[in-house]
Amino acid sequence: MLRFLTAGESHGRALSGILEGFPEGVKISREFIDGELSRRQSGFGRGKRMGIEKDKARIVSGLRDSKTLGSPISFYIENKDNTINTFSKDTLEVLNIPRPAHADFAGVLKYEVKDVRNILERASARETACRVVIGAFCKQLLNIFDIDIISSVAGLGKVSCPRKDMSIKEIKQALKGSSLGCVDRKKEKLMMNEIKSAEREGDTLGGLVDITVEGVPPGLGSFMHWDKRLSAKLSFALMSIPAVKGVEIGRGFEYAVMSGRKSHDGIYYKKGKGFYFKTNNSGGILGGISSGQPITLRIAMKPISTLRHSLDSVDFLTGKKAKAPVIRSDTTAVTACGVVAESMTAFVLADAFLEKFSSDTLARIKLNYKNYLKGIKY
Amino acid sequence: MLRFLTAGESHGRALSGILEGFPEGVKISREFIDGELSRRQSGFGRGKRMGIEKDKARIVSGLRDSKTLGSPISFYIENKDNTINTFSKDTLEVLNIPRPAHADFAGVLKYEVKDVRNILERASARETACRVVIGAFCKQLLNIFDIDIISSVAGLGKVSCPRKDMSIKEIKQALKGSSLGCVDRKKEKLMMNEIKSAEREGDTLGGLVDITVEGVPPGLGSFMHWDKRLSAKLSFALMSIPAVKGVEIGRGFEYAVMSGRKSHDGIYYKKGKGFYFKTNNSGGILGGISSGQPITLRIAMKPISTLRHSLDSVDFLTGKKAKAPVIRSDTTAVTACGVVAESMTAFVLADAFLEKFSSDTLARIKLNYKNYLKGIKY
Amino acid sequence: MLRFLTAGESHGRALSGILEGFPEGVKISREFIDGELSRRQSGFGRGKRMGIEKDKARIVSGLRDSKTLGSPISFYIENKDNTINTFSKDTLEVLNIPRPAHADFAGVLKYEVKDVRNILERASARETACRVVIGAFCKQLLNIFDIDIISSVAGLGKVSCPRKDMSIKEIKQALKGSSLGCVDRKKEKLMMNEIKSAEREGDTLGGLVDITVEGVPPGLGSFMHWDKRLSAKLSFALMSIPAVKGVEIGRGFEYAVMSGRKSHDGIYYKKGKGFYFKTNNSGGILGGISSGQPITLRIAMKPISTLRHSLDSVDFLTGKKAKAPVIRSDTTAVTACGVVAESMTAFVLADAFLEKFSSDTLARIKLNYKNYLKGIKY
Amino acid sequence: MLRFLTAGESHGRALSGILEGFPEGVKISREFIDGELSRRQSGFGRGKRMGIEKDKARIVSGLRDSKTLGSPISFYIENKDNTINTFSKDTLEVLNIPRPAHADFAGVLKYEVKDVRNILERASARETACRVVIGAFCKQLLNIFDIDIISSVAGLGKVSCPRKDMSIKEIKQALKGSSLGCVDRKKEKLMMNEIKSAEREGDTLGGLVDITVEGVPPGLGSFMHWDKRLSAKLSFALMSIPAVKGVEIGRGFEYAVMSGRKSHDGIYYKKGKGFYFKTNNSGGILGGISSGQPITLRIAMKPISTLRHSLDSVDFLTGKKAKAPVIRSDTTAVTACGVVAESMTAFVLADAFLEKFSSDTLARIKLNYKNYLKGIKY
């Protein structure tokens, strides 16, 4: 079982995380991890904080030289924003006005505190930086087995892309030089206009992200018990990302309006090629099990909750009408959300992969995996 | 922690389940449970098997007279379909042709078996009967605290209903006498025409289901750690239902095309009434925590995988083209899917509720709950 | 992950259990399971209830013919004791007097109930019959890999056996025809005298049980995280058995009085034989990992809590001195406790084994295991 | 649910840990934590490394000023031993000789590595420093509810103390000024002589530790399911400590030689005093549930595995006889083991406490707890 805990407040000294259950013998590139952190900070539509931070993961344990030991991997990411590198009650006034769409309102009730700051520090999406580090470890493991994951922006504001069956190679090619992460450059331009216009109005936007995974062998997850389905696990991981309000697998909601004849993927066979499908409406998961086809996922992200144009709120202490505090923020973060979604997907798949092929040493996993592929003549 | 295991093959002697962690002192109505099982078997568009079964839950332990003891609750549901009440290899020929869109293909590879029957028996959606029993226990607990859950069909084939903010009382009223479970009788008629037409063509349909929950207090779930978010837990539970391919919370995918100003629910206060919202786009969950508003969820179900009109498949042994076996089936089961979705929602909410208010005895939970509501002046 | 839930009250209709995570393809002998249930009911010193019950496990799901499907295994054991096959409040008077050393006192406080019966029905050691069925499945899996488990009575009342390094073959030979389960027939006779004497006095006895496991490969469990140690897992499982109050691994408490030089097992090597040890003080576990040596465990069972000679107690309602109710009972059940301990040991080892060598199909596990043994030249 | 992960190699940059599920509103004393770390480093019989390290916990997140936020608590402990503050393969030669009684042998096989260093770095008992920090948080929570935990050395080498019923107040009084942690100063002197003598001979010693807990309310843990028993959870936590080979609750192994009449604690009642017991052989746990009496536990620690007097071993590469490498070490660490045992006990009890009385905020827990105590008139 692969598991991780993260910790850290948005304006605390550092974020940190521990990843436990990662196998022995995996060579880790620190550059790759920091590259992923950098991808999370990029994307057209981000505000100023992103410029300040320049996240780097410091790996404290779990590696000997650059190889994993099989021991828990711990890391931290310093919060560089030094002017506010403390959130002592002595230096900050109490914040009584919950910001709509944030965790503030529900958090203050749940934790029965007066100061919204006690809530927002941990509820901040800054926490997802840790998930990206976790995902970067998992991706490096999956890459050894030619499992690759990529996200792309499929919709932003009123602009959306129709689903296209593109290979990861094609997606990566199409994303080269893109500043927003959309495979369709014309659509991307329209999206960027949406962002600029929202920014002018002090408004924010959400969007759609597609996640594509290639190289997943058939056999991860199971229908044998309700809580073993890969579909459920992916859905859990993706819906756990702040601001994500919808998850689809394969055709997702489109499936609801199609008939069985028009939507179910027929099964074919050709000597040499083996079993194959002509369509992938199922999104690579059948009966809660990976089918060997690419796994395709789509998520919906709601608009950023902090707006320059203040939303209606109330002072918790007085009950009086008040404008929600405006903290500098992004106009949209849908590109970043894609990187986090890739990371969570990587975590779920790595966990399922290790469960099936052992989790002690890379060499052993490789052999078990090779034998399995041979066994299923896939 | 509330947990359950289920067991049972579609043509075995019985399905069974054990629910562990349910508190002491809850009065259980067996009629309610069987009523829920009956709801799962109903809905326009079901095939013949539903007529045969008439599920009843036999409760074997966990109750003294009609009250829970706090001990594990076990139950079974006999498979009445006696002509096939065995799936011995002696009486059934090997099935080599995987049915598209079913677990067959991925299951045969994962479990490296030759006979598809070894897969389909457990992968069958018949298993969800157990979940409905589990849900019926959880609902009876939640009802004590005025938490109510209802599903309705929001789309079927090409017909769909726009989201409407209806109270559960209104939804129940609108569903009275409905044979499909749609709150809009005109739309329902169109949906039924879709079903009849699909049936004539040997085709199948999926659809959309809305789940509405009222009475959930603020404070269930948490943003403090990624895997504690109520949103993620609900998404896990709903996506674990066979044939579900999409999950939305609140506005879900619509959120992706709205701006922050137009979508974020402002917060208001009125003396006597307390804090309130004018809209509920968030679907009752903020920062992974219930906000006290109704929880609104939508799921997409793909069309039934078994079609009278055979789909393309392949013989696993010979690799030759073959038509997928046709097993009697439903044209659509979207109404039933809604009952299962209610059940899984009830399970997640009951678990979160017990975690927050203790899980030993009903009397204690009641007191803790009352004090909490008083404490948050809600 | 292998997991199970059990359910059932002592005087309810049946006990039941579900075992989830068991691999596909294991041939199951129902006779073996019932033989294990019978072993649990045997042993010199048992009272009359044992005669009534004659437990049989009815397997309801998880098998096709006699082979596991990889699906959850469910079973029940009917309570044959028909005269009391109900514990309705209508037929039984309230029991207000907690029996010392039972769960009664703590249970009544925890569950805040008035009637001790609400506690004792589930707290009864009858529940361990389910664990024996679970263990019988696990043993059949382990046996395929030549992992064998046996228990023997190492002490009873004032009689105890010094630790001896015996192979399971020798232990089984020594136990043939034994009525108590002690490898030393002279000591056994003394033990039986202890039992007879206790019985005459209306008293009860506990004892010591040794559990020996052979064939466990090196590498189960891990020191990489505190909660992955095989030692901890075994200790959890054994201490969860009713009446067990002490657990030792290898030399256990004797280790505390030995010096490092005299207790630590030196490591040796001989061509052809490989690495070996001359002693096994560690009990087959080093750093929380199985070392490949036999695993040796010892547990201490307290005397049966129900005595004919009544113990001091108090009426819960009146606070008045009262004699604890005397329910027919055993004088000792140390032999049965050994069977339960074997079962729990089998469960922990099967779980650890499946974690290391995959858990989907027996054929795959066999291959992974063979390759591992080859890889470590063991 | 309270959970924690730890990370860190013995000669890495730092140890670290994350504790998740800790409630909001608990005032934390950093001095107390460092005091506990210091207690772990003390005790007669420790070697030189203890002098070097002087552990301090740096808390990185989870607190605002000195109060917990309810968010995950993360901390690290720097490894001060700078001369070896790296374990790069470039600077250290391969170690091929497994040290008997250590994790080396089993670890090298499990992880299929050549260099014992890849094993010993994480297997080192240095990891327990993190557990002490975790325990120090839990103790501070438990202390608020007057739950107190203390350990004392009950045996060392050939010297042992008979069990005495002492209150924590008496134990603390008796331990004042003690350098080994034994409540009997005469015995302690003999123990210290044992240590000196072992040290002269290059030998090592283990011992016995008693853990006493006062103030635990009745009702933690449960018999309702095998894996909910407090006894099992404590046993798991204690047996997970490196070098611990035996665990007892209450009379433990002595119970095995006593009769029911002589061992079972009668129940009494006195107006004003409530229910009480005259003896506590059960060790405060009945039916897997805390009874309200003091919880008494005893563990056996094996002698330190690293001896100056080398043990027999083998070169892994050549198969040739070799002497195990001698790394500077302690003669005994039984006092430290007691501190770790207190910490693990605190963790288990805090988890059980939060499960019963809610885990969100201290204020809420206090109220729920007060009401429970009132309800059970305890």
Side-chain angles (χ1 to χ4, degrees), chain B residues 73-92:
Chain B
I73 293 160
S74 73
F75 62 88
Y76 64 94
I77 304 165
E78 268 184 57
N79 284 330
K80 296 283 178 54
D81 191 348
N82 284 311
T83 55
I84 46 167
N85 196 336
T86 170
F87 53 105
S88 167
K89 294 205 170 192
D90 303 337
T91 57
L92 288 171

Side-chain angles (χ1 to χ4, degrees), chain A residues 1 3 20-21 69-72 219 224-225 227-228 355-360 364 367-368 371-372 375-376, chain C residues 1 3 20-21 69-72 219 224-225 227-228 355-360 364 367-368 371-372 375-376:
Chain A
M1 185 188 52
R3 53 183 165 168
E20 203 283 322
L69 285 163
S71 58
M224 289 295 189
H225 207 260
D227 53 3
K228 294 179 126 175
E355 193 191 327
K356 186 152 179 64
F357 303 111
S358 172
S359 60
D360 283 347
R364 184 63 44 205
L367 185 64
N368 290 351
N371 286 334
Y372 172 70
I376 62 170
Chain C
M1 184 188 53
R3 53 184 168 169
E20 203 282 321
L69 285 163
S71 58
M224 289 295 190
H225 206 258
D227 53 3
K228 294 180 127 175
E355 193 191 326
K356 185 152 179 66
F357 302 111
S358 171
S359 61
D360 283 346
R364 184 63 41 203
L367 185 64
N368 290 351
N371 285 335
Y372 173 70
I376 63 169

Side-chain angles (χ1 to χ4, degrees), chain B residues 10-13 37-38 40-42 46-56 58 77-85 126 327-330:
Chain B
S10 180
H11 295 103
R13 286 172 55 200
L37 283 172
S38 166
R40 179 189 160 273
Q41 294 187 291
S42 67
R46 310 303 300 275
K48 283 184 207 142
R49 189 173 180 185
M50 289 301 109
I52 300 171
E53 285 166 2
K54 290 188 186 79
D55 289 334
K56 299 271 175 218
R58 311 289 173 185
I77 304 165
E78 268 184 57
N79 284 330
K80 296 283 178 54
D81 191 348
N82 284 311
T83 55
I84 46 167
N85 196 336
R126 173 127 189 79
I327 296 173
R328 79 222 150 122
S329 167
D330 306 325

